[in-house]
Amino acid sequence: MEYVSRAPRSPLDGLIDDLYYLEGTPPYARLTLPPMPAALLVVNLGAPFRVRGGTDIETTEYADGCVITTPTRAFEFGYPSPTRSVGVHVKPWGLAPFLPMPAVELCDRPVTLEQVWGSSGSSPGSHRPGTSRSGDGSCANTPATRWTAGRCRPIDFLQERQLTAR
C-alpha cells in the first residue's frame, strides 16, 4: 500500500491540512473514520468504494468520489482491492469557499462530487453512466433546509444554488 501526503503551500495551507495519494492493496477491507472537526474530499481513481455513515444500515457506492463535511458520527469506508484515490484533508472551515451551499448542510451525510459541484457537459437531471449516484437519485435522504427546500431534483439539486445570486 502506498500513501503519500503533502502539505499545501500558502494560501491553501490556511484551508487544507494535506493532500494525499493512496494506491495499492489496503491492509484492511473496511476503515472506520471517527467523528472529527474537519472535512474530507476523496476523488476515486479506481474501482468504486463504499461508505456507510452514521446510523445508515446500507452502504452507498461511490465511483467518482465523495465529500464529507465535519462528521459528528463514525463512517465506515469499504475499500476495493486494489484501491486508488487522491484526497484532501480539509480544515473545519476549509471547504466553505468552494461549496455552493453552507457546509453544515452536508454534515453527517457523504455526497457525491457531482451532487456538490455538478457534472460538466450534462444537462440538469441527466446522469452519465459509470458515475456515482447516492441512493436512487431522489432527494429522499436529503434533509430539507432553507437552501434545498423546494429545489431538490435528482443529482443537480445543489447545482441550482450556484446559479442563484448571493
Side-chain angles (χ1 to χ4, degrees):
M1 172 71 108
E2 178 181 12
Y3 181 88
V4 179
S5 174
R6 299 285 185 258
R9 295 182 192 186
S10 183
L12 287 179
D13 63 342
L15 302 171
I16 295 171
D17 284 323
D18 76 310
L19 302 130
Y20 71 86
Y21 174 75
L22 177 68
E23 181 176 31
T25 303
Y28 36 77
R30 290 183 303 238
L31 170 70
T32 299
L33 179 67
M36 62 183 167
L40 175 65
L41 177 135
V42 180
V43 178
N44 191 25
L45 303 173
F49 58 88
R50 300 176 80 60
V51 178
R52 185 175 61 83
T55 59
D56 294 345
I57 295 171
E58 299 292 323
T59 60
T60 301
E61 193 170 86
Y62 292 86
D64 292 341
C66 72
V67 177
I68 302 173
T69 64
T70 318
T72 63
R73 299 181 185 122
F75 284 84
E76 182 179 277
F77 276 70
Y79 289 100
S81 187
T83 190
R84 196 170 121 209
S85 62
V86 293
V88 182
H89 293 114
V90 185
K91 295 182 189 271
W93 57 88
L95 270 179
F98 305 105
L99 294 174
M101 83 292 295
V104 70
E105 301 213 4
L106 302 177
C107 184
D108 285 334
R109 69 181 181 96
V111 292
T112 66
L113 303 179
E114 187 175 14
Q115 285 176 303
V116 177
W117 292 290
S119 62
S120 60
S122 68
S123 60
S126 69
H127 179 71
R128 294 175 295 138
T131 59
S132 301
R133 189 174 255 195
S134 234
D136 62 359
S138 72
C139 300
N141 296 323
T142 305
T145 66
R146 65 187 184 117
W147 297 106
T148 59
R151 298 180 181 156
C152 196
R153 295 189 309 248
I155 296 299
D156 293 328
F157 75 94
L158 297 175
Q159 197 169 17
E160 184 174 342
R161 174 69 177 119
Q162 290 176 303
L163 304 175
T164 359
R166 290 185 183 218

